[in-house]
Amino acid sequence: MRWPRAADAVLALAVFLATVFVMDAPGDALAIRPIGDVPIGALPVFAVAGAALYWRRRAPLVVVGVAVTAWAVTLGGLVDKDLTGVVTLVALYSAGRYSTEDRWAWMGVAAAILVVNIEGLTDPAPWQDAVVYGSVAMFGTWYVGRRLRLRGERTAQSLREQAAEARRIVAEERTRIARELHDVVAHRVSLMTVQAGAAKAVASEDPAGALRAMGAVEEAGRQALDELRHLLGVLRPETDLDGLGPQPGLADLPRLVEQIRGAGVEVSLATDGASAELPARVDLFAYRIVQEALTNVLKHAGPGAHTEVRLGTDRSGIVIDVLDDGHGAATAMPGSGAGPGGTRGHGIIGMRERALLLGGTLDARPRPGGGFRVVAHLPTGGEPV
């Protein structure tokens, strides 16, 4: 609720006015009490009982105690045919809805049922009907409130678990990304070492060749520092570094496409010079996004699906567009079900994380006519967000 305190204040005022001006009438009807018949001595009791509802969210058990006490006081002949029991009903619902102390709430329910039994002794209606209906009403309102609270707690717990799972996936993906970037930098440094050694070997006999080699070392060093700047933005736990060979890039896409075709998915690849002169991190992340998108097609659309991979460029970077028609013959793989909103498992989180680390964007959603589409924009010189 947007303004809970204001709503509770309005509720408290409405219940107070109802207890003052509304009374029971013969035949289980309600009637308006004339102003002249308002019991002056009962007004403080009505006021305290009604005002207590203002704190029904913050101190629900206290409100139950006040409501039951006020109801019991009115049974002493202070006023006849009042609606103080309605205050108790609201208080019991609030105790079930907002209090986690079920043991004390049970005591409040028992006290309210006791008052119902006492009132039944003076009610002209059949005693059994008054007691049974009243007891069921007291217990039922509390139970309904309690069930709503438990359902809300389960929903909140589920949302917390989903958020924790998403954070875990992002952390794992960042670990893998950091390891890959480490490999890229290590490859650059290895090239620098080889080129520096070559320059040293020919420095005395071929100074021009040595200068060219040192120029290559300088360029590789600049690129390595650029990759390190991005690597430092990716927090990761300590892990064993394996696979120290060069990481793949967009130049390896034809081989990846052939592998997917071998699994039975028809793939067409169209590029527009997107793999030329790309920073290593962009080249790597673009390849991984295409790889994950094609893996999702294989998992969810299956053999027989038709997939298009398009790579293009714009003024600030490259654009990746992977779409499928969803007409394959896939069978659900364990753990690969579509997530909420039509997303396909955890892979989309990893693809989006890679795009964000480059300062780019990624959109993944089902296509209106069937199938799925992934569109990513990766700036070639952007800062991570």
Side-chain angles (χ1 to χ4, degrees), residues 263-266 296-306 327-331 344:
V265 176
E266 184 180 350
N296 280 343
V297 173
L298 184 60
K299 286 182 179 180
H300 300 275
H306 177 73
H327 294 158
T331 55
R344 298 187 169 194

Side-chain angles (χ1 to χ4, degrees), residues 190-239:
S190 297
L191 290 178
M192 292 167 58
T193 303
V194 172
Q195 291 166 341
K200 180 180 179 181
V202 302
S204 59
E205 299 177 0
D206 186 6
L211 288 176
R212 288 193 299 271
M214 292 309 297
V217 170
E218 179 184 14
E219 179 62 24
R222 292 181 186 276
Q223 293 178 357
L225 288 175
D226 196 23
E227 305 302 338
L228 278 174
R229 180 171 57 85
H230 281 261
L231 174 60
L232 293 177
V234 183
L235 301 178
R236 66 183 180 97
E238 292 296 328
T239 57

Side-chain angles (χ1 to χ4, degrees), residues 49-372:
L53 295 180
Y54 179 72
W55 289 275
R56 69 188 189 94
R57 301 174 195 265
R58 286 169 285 177
L61 296 178
V62 175
V63 173
V64 170
V66 172
V68 172
T69 301
W71 191 12
V73 168
T74 61
L75 296 182
L78 187 62
V79 60
D80 293 330
K81 302 182 182 303
D82 68 285
L83 299 182
T84 317
V86 175
V87 181
T88 304
L89 288 173
V90 177
L92 286 174
Y93 169 82
S94 302
R97 184 70 177 85
Y98 302 111
S99 174
T100 58
E101 299 291 338
D102 287 344
R103 182 181 63 178
W104 293 102
W106 271 109
M107 296 178 63
V109 173
I113 292 176
L114 176 62
V115 175
V116 166
N117 281 266
I118 297 174
E119 186 181 49
L121 296 175
T122 60
D123 197 312
W127 180 83
Q128 295 87 349
D129 292 347
V131 169
V132 171
Y133 294 151
S135 299
V136 170
M138 295 299 154
F139 173 80
T141 52
W142 170 79
Y143 183 76
V144 168
R146 180 174 178 271
R147 293 301 301 175
L148 291 176
R149 171 174 56 84
L150 293 177
R151 187 174 68 177
E153 290 175 353
R154 286 194 296 269
T155 301
Q157 178 64 22
S158 177
L159 292 176
R160 287 193 295 268
E161 291 175 355
Q162 291 176 10
E165 177 69 6
R167 289 193 297 270
R168 183 190 66 81
I169 295 170
V170 169
E172 290 180 354
E173 191 63 31
R174 279 178 170 252
T175 299
R176 186 171 69 167
I177 293 170
R179 183 166 57 245
E180 291 174 351
L181 285 176
H182 172 277
D183 296 344
V184 170
V185 174
H187 180 62
R188 296 282 188 196
V189 174
S190 297
L191 290 178
M192 292 167 58
T193 303
V194 172
Q195 291 166 341
K200 180 180 179 181
V202 302
S204 59
E205 299 177 0
D206 186 6
L211 288 176
R212 288 193 299 271
M214 292 309 297
V217 170
E218 179 184 14
E219 179 62 24
R222 292 181 186 276
Q223 293 178 357
L225 288 175
D226 196 23
E227 305 302 338
L228 278 174
R229 180 171 57 85
H230 281 261
L231 174 60
L232 293 177
V234 183
L235 301 178
R236 66 183 180 97
E238 292 296 328
T239 57
D240 294 332
L241 296 176
D242 53 0
L244 293 179
Q247 293 291 340
L250 293 180
D252 300 295
L253 278 185
R255 182 174 58 185
L256 173 64
V257 167
E258 288 301 322
Q259 293 175 352
I260 300 297
R261 286 173 180 166
V265 176
E266 184 180 350
V267 183
S268 62
L269 175 63
T271 62
D272 183 19
S275 60
E277 302 297 332
L278 286 178
R281 62 182 179 278
V282 179
D283 195 30
L284 169 63
F285 284 12
Y287 176 87
R288 292 302 189 195
I289 289 174
V290 175
Q291 182 185 46
E292 186 62 42
L294 290 177
T295 300
N296 280 343
V297 173
L298 184 60
K299 286 182 179 180
H300 300 275
H306 177 73
T307 306
E308 298 180 22
V309 179
R310 305 169 184 163
L311 281 80
T313 59
D314 59 16
R315 294 182 178 179
S316 59
I318 68 171
V319 179
I320 301 170
D321 191 356
V322 182
L323 57 92
D324 67 86
D325 58 10
H327 294 158
T331 55
M333 297 179 65
S336 65
T343 58
R344 298 187 169 194
H346 297 161
I348 290 177
I349 296 178
M351 290 190 290
R352 183 170 288 114
E353 185 69 15
R354 291 177 184 274
L356 291 177
L357 286 174
L358 293 177
T361 59
L362 183 136
D363 181 63
R365 65 183 62 191
R367 299 173 63 193
F372 210 78

